[in-house]
Amino acid sequence: MNHYRITENENLKSMVGSFSRAPFQLNAIFESDAELIGFNNDKILAITYDAIVEEIEEGLYEDAYQIGWMAITVSVSDLAAVGAKVLGVLLDLKVPKHFDAIRLKNLQQGINDACDFYGCYVFGGDTNKNNILQVGSTALGFCENKLMRKGLSASDVLYVSDNVGLGSSYAYSRFISNTKSEYLPKAKIKEGQLLSKFASSCIDTSDGLFPALCQLMEVNNLGFNLNILFKDMLHNSCLKICKETGLPHWIFMCGPHGEYELLFTIPLKNVQKFEDEAKRIHWRPIRLGEVTNKQKLLTNIDGISINPFETTNLYEKQHIKSPEQYMMELLKLDKEMRL
Amino acid sequence: MNHYRITENENLKSMVGSFSRAPFQLNAIFESDAELIGFNNDKILAITYDAIVEEIEEGLYEDAYQIGWMAITVSVSDLAAVGAKVLGVLLDLKVPKHFDAIRLKNLQQGINDACDFYGCYVFGGDTNKNNILQVGSTALGFCENKLMRKGLSASDVLYVSDNVGLGSSYAYSRFISNTKSEYLPKAKIKEGQLLSKFASSCIDTSDGLFPALCQLMEVNNLGFNLNILFKDMLHNSCLKICKETGLPHWIFMCGPHGEYELLFTIPLKNVQKFEDEAKRIHWRPIRLGEVTNKQKLLTNIDGISINPFETTNLYEKQHIKSPEQYMMELLKLDKEMRL
């Protein structure tokens, strides 16, 4: 096993890596959250498809309104991460034959509310009958500038758009503590559009912060030096759980269920201007550290040394079968790292 | 039950009819095979998502190469029907956890060959683990002219791009006679682009000829007068079955499994020019009849009077549970019509 490679990327490459790419496509595989198409000379089309399958099957999402909201948010967030303006979505609705009318209404309401919130429209889509509910969407937008995962340089400043860990604390509430918890994350469209003017790279945290860091490291072949305590970047819902249970902060960064914040880098020369502009739209992104060209390891936060590739690959490596098993594996890792 | 309404459209309206449409979208619901987006002033974007779900689950498609080919063809054919040039596709691959490596290779080969054939590319996509194989794609293209299902006028000439019924004869071979049969239909991209210069309406026959006729009738509120024998528009594979079994010709037009030909209308003034241009690309579309404004009924072919809305709605109305039951219901209808 390679300690600085994302196993999931290797799997994906074996699934889709053999297809020929368009000469007019601006990104290679893994290089951006959405596909960037050089359609005309002036504008870049951004397009992405994403579906919610495992989340429904495993019971992470149950509420029909939430599922509708997420069906739009998953793809729109990919457009946010490339700084796109969203035009609209195509729906992919796979619905059980005898689907409850109230659940259908709630599902539609979630889709409608998300579209309203993102200022986009439902263009159309496809409906199939299916054993279980599965929903997805294709989102279409356009960009003024090219913003990808690829592009950062050493000494760029690393930020995240807001506190992270909500995706993990929500999963913890559903699977481990069986407590009530809210989860209707909002894709950061407005922020992404601002970033397209200033950032050298961007990715959403839909798979969690560590997996997002790994993707940036792998595609850019650079590393990060973080100089912030985990607690200062964690969502309140995580801090509360850590306080109650004594769980270490870092495990809320591991995903694989994230929260649709944006992780991005700003070149030093743009930092002041960017922070001023962000303030103007009442946005306070969190500074995490900076890009290094020395190594891919992320070290010495909260007094422990974490290799995020190790935590990111844990899921595949240990053939995780339950949330409880995953939690135990993460706690084992925590113990090892503190020895 | 309304005899001149497509039940499935009513169901779809209740699923997706409540969403707000984009003011810059050129088509309303049901008005075109793909969604038409007025993006710039000069070009029209065409986008569509389609998936193969029921076809795999019911055993209609089994061969992985065929499934790969169809995953691309289903969406590309929608672009053909709006006369678009195809840019590329996003894949939606829902694959079982322990998917056979050879099947995966064949699936990929089918996708690759279809993309090569249509001159398009795989932009990216999404992969999920799923209990059964389900594949789909979003296809993106652009149009020089607006070609939709909506737009035909009385006295326009009705054509189909080639013989129809292959979708039904294939389904018959798989489900009824258990004989070997080929099914790798080709979306009519080149033909669609020619049509965008001459046609007043177009739809693909992915659901069969009668359902396609119904869609054109419903959305345009006009009818057709067909003046051709069914046998003269039927695919050889159907004629062979009819000869062997005595089955009536018309039941191979009913769908719901079609063959991705194009059904379209040409205004009288364009007919000569269109037929000349078609000949130039060695294409001989079949003239079926003409548009009428009197009624929605399609009458008096092979000496029987068929209401295609009745056959199209049969599936929903009779709660069809098996191909054999469907066949029996169609034969019952045939008997009634001949009384």
Side-chain angles (χ1 to χ4, degrees):
Chain A
M1 187 198 140
N2 191 321
H3 277 290
Y4 307 108
R5 284 275 151 212
I6 304 169
T7 316
E8 182 66 17
N9 282 8
E10 304 298 317
N11 298 344
L12 273 173
K13 239 182 256 174
S14 76
M15 284 293 291
V16 298
S18 67
F19 302 120
S20 55
R21 306 281 284 192
F24 49 85
Q25 182 166 2
L26 306 180
N27 65 293
I29 189 167
F30 306 128
E31 284 188 354
S32 59
D33 274 22
E35 313 307 332
L36 301 178
I37 313 299
F39 177 59
N40 289 24
N41 289 327
D42 51 340
K43 291 242 166 74
I44 300 166
L45 280 179
I47 186 168
T48 186
Y49 168 83
D50 209 349
I52 307 171
V53 176
E54 295 86 349
E55 293 88 341
I56 298 174
E57 198 176 334
E58 292 165 7
L60 188 59
Y61 304 161
E62 196 175 37
D63 175 69
Y65 179 89
Q66 179 190 40
I67 290 170
W69 179 276
M70 293 309 296
I72 304 300
T73 297
V74 289
S75 64
V76 165
S77 179
D78 283 338
L79 291 196
V82 297
K85 181 168 166 31
V86 193
L87 290 169
V89 297
L90 297 176
L91 293 176
D92 161 20
L93 298 178
K94 299 190 172 72
V95 178
K97 209 163 184 174
H98 303 288
F99 195 62
D100 181 75
I102 293 169
R103 263 176 81 71
L104 177 61
K105 226 183 139 97
N106 287 334
L107 180 76
Q108 291 168 327
Q109 192 65 51
I111 290 169
N112 245 332
D113 286 357
C115 285
D116 276 0
F117 184 80
Y118 300 127
C120 71
Y121 300 92
V122 174
F123 290 145
D126 188 39
T127 303
N128 295 92
K129 283 176 188 125
N130 202 31
N131 292 328
I132 57 164
L133 181 66
Q134 295 178 333
V135 293
S137 65
T138 300
L140 179 71
F142 63 90
C143 313
E144 302 287 346
N145 303 297
K146 193 169 88 168
L147 176 61
M148 313 204 301
R149 297 175 182 175
K150 191 176 171 119
L152 54 79
S153 305
S155 87
D156 286 0
V157 179
L158 178 73
Y159 296 83
V160 69
S161 55
D162 203 343
N163 292 308
V164 291
L166 177 65
S168 290
S169 66
Y170 173 76
Y172 179 89
S173 309
R174 292 236 13 125
F175 291 142
I176 311 278
S177 67
N178 288 311
T179 49
K180 239 184 126 65
S181 175
E182 280 281 313
Y183 185 76
L184 288 171
K186 294 173 180 70
K188 297 290 181 293
I189 282 291
K190 183 177 84 231
E191 292 82 350
Q193 281 172 36
L194 182 60
L195 288 175
S196 78
K197 291 190 221 161
F198 298 105
S200 52
S201 74
C202 187
I203 184 173
D204 78 5
T205 67
S206 59
D207 295 331
L209 185 76
F210 282 176
L213 281 170
C214 289
Q215 293 285 4
L216 289 187
M217 287 193 273
E218 185 164 302
V219 79
N220 290 284
N221 206 30
L222 290 166
F224 294 109
N225 181 26
L226 301 207
N227 40 40
I228 180 174
L229 295 177
F230 282 128
K231 75 174 176 56
D232 292 334
M233 47 171 141
L234 265 191
H235 192 274
N236 270 334
S237 59
C238 309
L239 294 175
K240 193 165 164 269
I241 297 171
C242 291
K243 209 169 168 186
E244 287 168 5
T245 61
L247 283 170
H249 290 137
W250 68 266
I251 66 167
F252 290 89
M253 314 279 178
C254 297
H257 187 243
E259 56 281 311
Y260 302 92
E261 295 299 332
L262 297 178
L263 180 72
F264 56 94
T265 55
I266 305 279
L268 269 177
K269 64 175 171 50
N270 290 350
V271 162
Q272 192 55 55
K273 190 94 201 291
F274 161 67
E275 293 201 349
D276 290 349
E277 293 271 325
K279 214 172 282 174
R280 205 172 300 176
I281 59 167
H282 311 287
W283 173 34
R284 286 189 168 278
I286 303 168
R287 228 167 147 145
L288 301 183
E290 64 271 333
V291 181
T292 63
N293 53 20
K294 284 196 206 116
Q295 53 181 5
K296 292 183 157 200
L297 258 151
L298 161 78
T299 46
N300 292 320
I301 310 166
D302 290 7
I304 51 171
S305 169
I306 295 173
N307 177 356
F309 286 95
E310 200 174 348
T311 64
T312 297
N313 292 336
L314 190 72
Y315 227 80
E316 298 288 328
K317 190 185 152 203
Q318 301 292 350
H319 308 289
I320 300 292
K321 284 200 175 50
S322 71
E324 292 82 359
Q325 187 200 351
Y326 181 49
M327 179 71 89
M328 291 314 295
E329 293 292 342
L330 288 172
L331 289 176
K332 244 199 272 180
L333 250 184
D334 187 68
K335 210 171 161 188
E336 282 167 30
M337 287 185 306
R338 286 174 199 278
L339 283 180
Chain B
M1 188 196 139
N2 191 322
H3 277 290
Y4 307 108
R5 284 275 149 213
I6 304 169
T7 317
E8 183 66 18
N9 281 8
E10 303 299 315
N11 297 343
L12 273 172
K13 239 183 254 172
S14 77
M15 284 294 290
V16 299
S18 67
F19 302 121
S20 55
R21 307 280 285 193
F24 48 85
Q25 182 166 1
L26 306 181
N27 65 293
I29 189 167
F30 305 128
E31 283 188 355
S32 59
D33 274 21
E35 313 306 332
L36 301 177
I37 313 299
F39 177 58
N40 290 24
N41 288 328
D42 51 341
K43 291 244 166 72
I44 300 166
L45 280 178
I47 187 168
T48 185
Y49 168 83
D50 209 348
I52 307 171
V53 176
E54 294 87 348
E55 293 88 340
I56 299 174
E57 199 177 333
E58 291 164 8
L60 189 59
Y61 305 160
E62 195 175 39
D63 175 69
Y65 179 90
Q66 180 191 38
I67 291 169
W69 178 276
M70 292 309 298
I72 304 301
T73 297
V74 289
S75 64
V76 165
S77 179
D78 284 338
L79 292 196
V82 297
K85 183 171 165 29
V86 193
L87 290 168
V89 297
L90 298 175
L91 294 176
D92 161 20
L93 298 178
K94 299 190 171 70
V95 179
K97 208 164 186 173
H98 303 288
F99 195 62
D100 181 74
I102 293 170
R103 263 175 81 70
L104 178 61
K105 226 184 141 94
N106 287 335
L107 179 76
Q108 291 168 328
Q109 193 64 51
I111 291 169
N112 245 332
D113 286 356
C115 285
D116 276 0
F117 184 80
Y118 300 126
C120 71
Y121 300 93
V122 174
F123 291 146
D126 188 39
T127 303
N128 295 93
K129 283 178 188 123
N130 202 30
N131 292 330
I132 58 163
L133 181 66
Q134 295 178 334
V135 294
S137 65
T138 300
L140 179 71
F142 63 90
C143 312
E144 302 288 346
N145 303 298
K146 194 169 87 168
L147 176 61
M148 314 204 299
R149 298 175 181 175
K150 192 177 170 116
L152 53 82
S153 304
S155 85
D156 286 0
V157 179
L158 179 72
Y159 295 84
V160 70
S161 56
D162 204 342
N163 291 308
V164 291
L166 178 65
S168 290
S169 66
Y170 173 75
Y172 179 88
S173 310
R174 292 236 13 125
F175 291 141
I176 311 277
S177 66
N178 287 310
T179 49
K180 239 183 127 64
S181 175
E182 280 282 312
Y183 186 77
L184 287 172
K186 293 171 179 72
K188 297 291 181 292
I189 282 292
K190 182 177 84 231
E191 291 83 350
Q193 281 171 36
L194 182 60
L195 289 174
S196 79
K197 290 189 222 161
F198 298 104
S200 53
S201 74
C202 188
I203 183 173
D204 79 4
T205 66
S206 59
D207 296 332
L209 184 78
F210 282 177
L213 281 170
C214 290
Q215 292 286 3
L216 289 188
M217 286 194 272
E218 185 164 303
V219 79
N220 289 286
N221 206 31
L222 290 167
F224 295 109
N225 181 27
L226 301 208
N227 40 39
I228 181 174
L229 295 177
F230 282 128
K231 74 174 176 54
D232 293 334
M233 49 171 141
L234 265 191
H235 192 273
N236 270 334
S237 58
C238 308
L239 294 174
K240 193 165 166 269
I241 297 171
C242 291
K243 209 169 169 187
E244 288 168 5
T245 60
L247 283 170
H249 290 136
W250 69 266
I251 66 168
F252 290 89
M253 314 278 179
C254 298
H257 186 243
E259 56 280 311
Y260 302 92
E261 294 300 331
L262 298 178
L263 179 72
F264 57 93
T265 55
I266 305 279
L268 269 178
K269 65 174 170 51
N270 290 349
V271 161
Q272 192 55 56
K273 189 94 200 292
F274 162 67
E275 292 201 350
D276 290 348
E277 292 271 325
K279 216 174 281 176
R280 203 171 301 175
I281 60 167
H282 310 286
W283 173 34
R284 286 191 168 278
I286 302 169
R287 228 166 147 146
L288 301 183
E290 64 270 334
V291 181
T292 63
N293 53 20
K294 285 197 205 114
Q295 53 182 3
K296 292 186 157 196
L297 258 151
L298 161 79
T299 46
N300 292 321
I301 311 166
D302 291 7
I304 51 172
S305 170
I306 295 172
N307 177 356
F309 286 96
E310 200 175 347
T311 64
T312 297
N313 292 337
L314 190 72
Y315 227 80
E316 297 288 328
K317 188 186 156 205
Q318 302 292 351
H319 309 290
I320 301 290
K321 283 198 174 53
S322 71
E324 292 82 359
Q325 187 200 348
Y326 181 50
M327 178 71 88
M328 291 313 296
E329 293 290 342
L330 288 172
L331 289 176
K332 243 198 276 180
L333 251 183
D334 186 67
K335 210 172 160 186
E336 281 167 29
M337 288 186 305
R338 286 174 198 279
L339 284 180

